[in-house]
């Protein structure tokens, strides 16, 4: 019996000693926060700023992968066979610009692909396909070549050859005939252009590039490309009063219509049902 009493007494003697060894927390003076403790507002500010930029960066990266992924996969799988229209367009751009360096070649290029406001409509329709690759006023040959290689190539991998050619022709035709409509407006109209613009050639791939950017972004669910293209070329129309810049408005309208009708994004595949959970009793 004395042994349990001795144990209890030892425990009782150790209690006050343990309490003395515990560190005491001194209260911070008024107006000063204890070290290591931050306010809720500071933590929210620290977490909000990187969180927003992180989400924006991830969204942009995801849209980049939606555009670059099909292009890279098609080029790795089929190489140049994946972009036959882009290859032919590149050769035509180089050939027409080389021919235009001589007087005889310039007359030949104009007879094959020359489009202007005073050219009859029937002749415009015949020359329209080749007018995409003819030299454009104000656009250097390397700029037209870069647009054709990059934009046509990405669009052909994402949309296919047939849809790329169709969108290019429809958007170019819409921009060409919208330019003719702009020339009929009076000088007081907000969209009117200077009369001397009627004597400039309406050629080059710029209208087709606008349409392909919109349709490719629409098909790949890259809203930044669609909105950025529409806003950029609309601002160009406001800043400059040239016929080519304002004719892009007709191309933008035609491209949005083509995107809504023929360039719908692929439906997302439904996630498979979860596998049945085994209970261990099945034989």
């Amino acid at each position: 019996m004395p042994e349990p009493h001795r144990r209890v007494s030892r425990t009782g003697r150790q209690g006050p000693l343990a309490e003395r060894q515990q560190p005491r927390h001194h209260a911070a003076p008024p107006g000063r926060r204890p070290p290591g403790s931050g306010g809720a507002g500071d933590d929210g500010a620290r977490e909000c700023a990187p969180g927003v930029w992180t989400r924006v960066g991830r969204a942009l990266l995801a849209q980049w992968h939606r555009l670059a992924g099909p292009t890279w996969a098609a080029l790795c799988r089929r190489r140049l066979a994946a972009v036959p229209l882009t290859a032919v367009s590149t050769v035509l751009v180089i050939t027409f610009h080389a021919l235009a360096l001589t007087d005889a070649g310039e007359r030949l290029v104009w007879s094959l692909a020359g489009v202007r406001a005073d050219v009859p409509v029937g002749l415009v329709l015949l020359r329209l396909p080749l007018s995409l690759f003819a030299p454009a006023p104000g656009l250097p040959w390397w700029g037209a070549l870069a647009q054709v290689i990059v934009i046509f190539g990405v669009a052909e991998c994402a949309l296919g050859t047939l849809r790329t050619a169709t969108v290019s022709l429809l958007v170019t035709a819409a921009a060409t005939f919208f330019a003719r409509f702009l020339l009929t407006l009076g000088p007081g109209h907000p969209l009117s252009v200077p009369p001397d613009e009627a004597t400039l050639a309406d050629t080059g791939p710029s209208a087709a590039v606008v349409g392909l950017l919109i349709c490719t972004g629409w098909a790949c669910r890259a809203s930044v490309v669609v909105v950025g293209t529409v806003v950029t070329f609309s601002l160009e129309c406001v800043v400059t009063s040239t016929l080519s810049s304002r004719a892009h408005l007709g191309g933008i309208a035609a491209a949005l219509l083509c995107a809504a009708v023929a360039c719908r994004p692929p439906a997302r595949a439904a996630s498979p049902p979860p596998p049945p959970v085994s209970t261990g009793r099945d034989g």
Side-chain angles (χ1 to χ4, degrees), residues 122-257:
L123 199 55
V124 168
L125 293 177
L126 290 177
R127 296 177 177 178
L128 191 65
L130 292 179
S131 69
L132 276 73
F133 317 110
L139 182 64
W141 69 271
W142 53 265
L145 188 64
Q147 289 182 0
V148 167
I149 292 176
V150 177
I151 307 302
F152 274 59
V154 173
E156 194 169 4
C157 291
L159 303 177
T161 302
L162 181 59
R163 281 197 295 180
T164 301
T166 304
V167 169
S168 302
L169 291 176
L170 290 178
V171 173
T172 302
T176 299
F177 288 106
F178 188 70
R180 286 174 169 257
F181 168 73
L182 292 177
L183 291 172
T184 63
L185 300 177
H189 198 277
L191 294 179
S192 62
V193 295
D196 55 352
E197 293 285 332
T199 61
L200 296 179
D202 187 16
T203 53
S206 58
V209 165
V210 173
L212 291 177
L213 279 173
I214 293 175
C215 290
T216 304
W218 191 294
C220 296
R221 293 181 287 111
S223 57
V224 173
V225 176
V226 178
V227 176
T229 303
V230 173
V231 171
T232 300
F233 285 94
S234 299
L235 288 178
E236 181 192 12
C237 170
V238 174
V239 173
T240 62
S241 60
T242 59
L243 183 63
S244 59
S245 64
R246 297 194 171 179
H248 287 155
L249 294 178
I252 289 173
L256 291 174
L257 182 61

Side-chain angles (χ1 to χ4, degrees), residues 7-85:
R7 291 177 183 172
V8 173
S9 61
R10 290 176 183 173
T11 306
R13 284 195 302 269
Q14 291 176 355
L17 180 60
E19 291 179 359
R20 291 192 215 103
Q21 293 177 352
Q22 292 181 357
R24 295 182 180 180
H25 298 282
H26 299 281
R32 184 180 300 175
R33 292 178 181 173
S37 64
D42 296 341
D43 294 342
R46 293 194 193 99
E47 293 177 0
C48 180
V52 170
W53 291 112
T54 301
R55 288 194 295 269
V56 171
R58 289 176 179 174
L60 293 177
L61 186 61
Q63 296 199 12
W64 163 254
H65 285 304
R66 291 170 190 168
L67 286 172
T71 304
W72 182 253
L75 291 177
C76 290
R77 185 173 62 253
R78 302 176 57 195
R79 300 186 183 276
L80 284 180
V83 286
L85 178 63

